[in-house]
Amino acid sequence: MSKEFVIALDGMGGDQGPSMVVQGAAIARKRFPNVRFKIFGDSAKIQPLLDKKNALKEITSVIHTDDIITNEMKPALALRSGRQSSMRKAIDAVKAGEADCVVSAGNTGALMAMAKFVFKTLPGIDRPAIASFFPTLRGETVMLDLGANLQCDAQNLVQFAVMGDVFARGVLGVQSPTVGLLNVGSEDMKGHDDLREAAVILRQSDVPLNFHGFVEGDDICAGTVDVVVTDGFTGNVALKTAEGTARLTSEFLRQSFKHSLMAKLGYVFARPALNKLRARMDPRKYNGAMFLGLNGICVKSHGGTDAKGFSHAIAAAADMVHQDILSDIKQDYARIAETLSSVDDTLTVTKQV
Amino acid sequence: MSKEFVIALDGMGGDQGPSMVVQGAAIARKRFPNVRFKIFGDSAKIQPLLDKKNALKEITSVIHTDDIITNEMKPALALRSGRQSSMRKAIDAVKAGEADCVVSAGNTGALMAMAKFVFKTLPGIDRPAIASFFPTLRGETVMLDLGANLQCDAQNLVQFAVMGDVFARGVLGVQSPTVGLLNVGSEDMKGHDDLREAAVILRQSDVPLNFHGFVEGDDICAGTVDVVVTDGFTGNVALKTAEGTARLTSEFLRQSFKHSLMAKLGYVFARPALNKLRARMDPRKYNGAMFLGLNGICVKSHGGTDAKGFSHAIAAAADMVHQDILSDIKQDYARIAETLSSVDDTLTVTKQV
């Protein structure tokens, strides 16, 4: 934790824009004493906000950019015409070695397209994936992909499994993470062809990965496995369904305590416990989706979050830098990719026979 | 509600088997005074249970069967070799006009295969779908498909939309239900080809359906639309993810109240409110997945539920019988199918041009 490191921030992303970014950086600064920030965006908006925060101002430089990537912009257009945008400049800074990682609360598709274009994928990885933590009954679980790839073949899923495995070891500190493929049942015959083929590959004894098998939707929050692997469509729906259900439960809980005088009195006594629950379920704590499989660290913050939420996305990026996750992933992936390609050859041979 | 009606029950389905079925029927009997039951299964197990319940015994006949469909049995095998099973006989009773609907807590795939084989699909419907209610911030929402069809094309999704629309009007009593397609974003360009094509068809002005557009995972529990349409893979994962998240929240809540003496005291005062919440979120209340698109009423109970949960599945079937949902669906579907086929023709022509 002693080495100084630099985080590039897209100052213009997110519903609350620069104020959330500056305030979020101010919160994150307290947790990471050796951090420095480069904030990219409209300096006329960012600098005045920064001027109010002396401690943050000392460790932050503002790099003015005129362009902004809007939420509506298609990734291809953003890639073509957004070269001078705050988002792109923040990514470029990492590529140029001027920052260690980048955090943005802007347009997810554009961020992924730009990060992929600038950083490139790691050797052996066809497509990057978006990963995030889920709170579970048994700690935290990593799930990927959460929306980068809507349709995935068996090879993509296998690569995600490897990325998730390496990531869980590095960031969660789990020695031999269990990896599950999300499906509609746990039996071998369940699911579509790509899922079953991915399971066959992951079950090969020489793939150095603790493959649990298929898991179902309720296994995510049960914490049945450390890593849940799925395609980006299913992962995105599952993530948002979980968020929606948590919101519904909170709202029902709130309504329960308004129901009667007795219930209102109950609320007064129950408040400490309820606050504890709220803190534990706080979605801001889980803000920060990590782009895995790229040769660079990029974290996407939820666009609708606030400064506290954004500070968690910064923390997720900082943790990846500190633990040198990228080197781990590169090394581990190279090792596993070698085995995988030989497994592939075996499978191809078996199929031909 | 005055007409007498008969419910065929698979006496051998579910983890708790006959005891859950008999006890569930006893609970449901109180809500539906004109119901009669036919329970299919091992009479040596069912009859003694029934003998203890005088009121239920009077309105119930037991039809002995030797065979059982196990949970592990593949649908094709169940269809071939399970003709004498309790599940099949219960379905056959509906087909023969000896019962108005069938309820089973057994093997979902086998039940769907048998029900489809015996009842056949309604004219114009290629594949049946599994539908269920979700609690939401704005009442209840119907979601389908929850697992009958893992991969769906645009036509399947459009048919599900129509089935869901008719069902919501009949059972939820909503005049012009809003229908949404589950996707990873609400913008037109989001999602894969089949989803976008289904949206194009549903948006045609002459399709008599209140199409809202795309919805996301968190819209399910928000109650953004009355009917959420999706493929069986995504629907199954979303359903189970929601169940798992609700379970996680309850467990976190329970732990919060154990944390300190103050919290334990708080629990005493908060108990009425918490009991109210528990009742509202009780998954047993939402037990009973309806098979839609078949020329017969079949409801699947969760296999792991208890008697109270099973009674809710019976109630779901009874509601469908009472409201003559099947006639409504047949009529409405015939009307809509006609429009749809002309829309299809238009689309085909447009594509050719």
Side-chain angles (χ1 to χ4, degrees), chain B residues 12-31:
Chain B
M12 310 308 284
D15 303 348
Q16 296 178 44
S19 72
M20 172 196 75
V21 173
V22 171
Q23 184 64 40
I27 297 170
R29 181 193 63 80
K30 292 172 194 156
R31 193 172 139 192

Side-chain angles (χ1 to χ4, degrees), chain A residues 122-270:
Chain A
L122 291 172
I125 291 178
D126 296 320
R127 301 196 204 166
I130 301 178
S132 192
F133 295 113
F134 267 68
T136 80
L137 290 174
R138 292 176 53 247
E140 285 183 335
T141 286
V142 179
M143 183 151 109
L144 73 166
D145 174 30
L146 298 178
N149 312 280
L150 299 192
Q151 278 158 316
C152 295
D153 62 19
Q155 277 302 330
N156 298 140
L157 294 171
V158 168
Q159 290 173 12
F160 296 169
V162 174
M163 292 193 271
D165 168 75
V166 174
F167 184 75
R169 265 185 283 142
V171 171
L172 289 181
V174 186
Q175 280 304 311
S176 176
T178 48
V179 179
L181 275 174
L182 191 58
N183 200 343
V184 296
S186 52
E187 304 86 351
D188 285 0
M189 70 201 185
K190 293 274 182 172
H192 50 72
D193 292 348
D194 287 319
L195 266 175
R196 287 201 301 260
E197 197 184 324
V200 168
I201 298 174
L202 291 170
R203 269 201 199 92
Q204 305 285 315
S205 56
D206 43 0
V207 175
L209 200 145
N210 191 353
F211 182 56
H212 171 91
F214 293 133
V215 293
E216 301 184 57
D218 50 347
D219 288 308
I220 303 170
C221 282
T224 308
V225 291
D226 299 305
V227 180
V228 175
V229 172
T230 184
D231 65 273
F233 188 90
T234 311
N236 187 282
V237 169
L239 170 70
K240 287 178 182 160
T241 302
E243 286 173 355
T245 309
R247 214 172 292 140
L248 179 74
T249 314
S250 308
E251 178 56 24
F252 278 4
L253 186 60
R254 202 183 62 79
Q255 290 175 3
S256 299
F257 279 108
K258 280 188 152 182
H259 186 59
S260 66
L261 194 64
M262 174 70 179
K264 281 179 196 164
L265 184 67
Y267 178 73
V268 176
F269 285 92

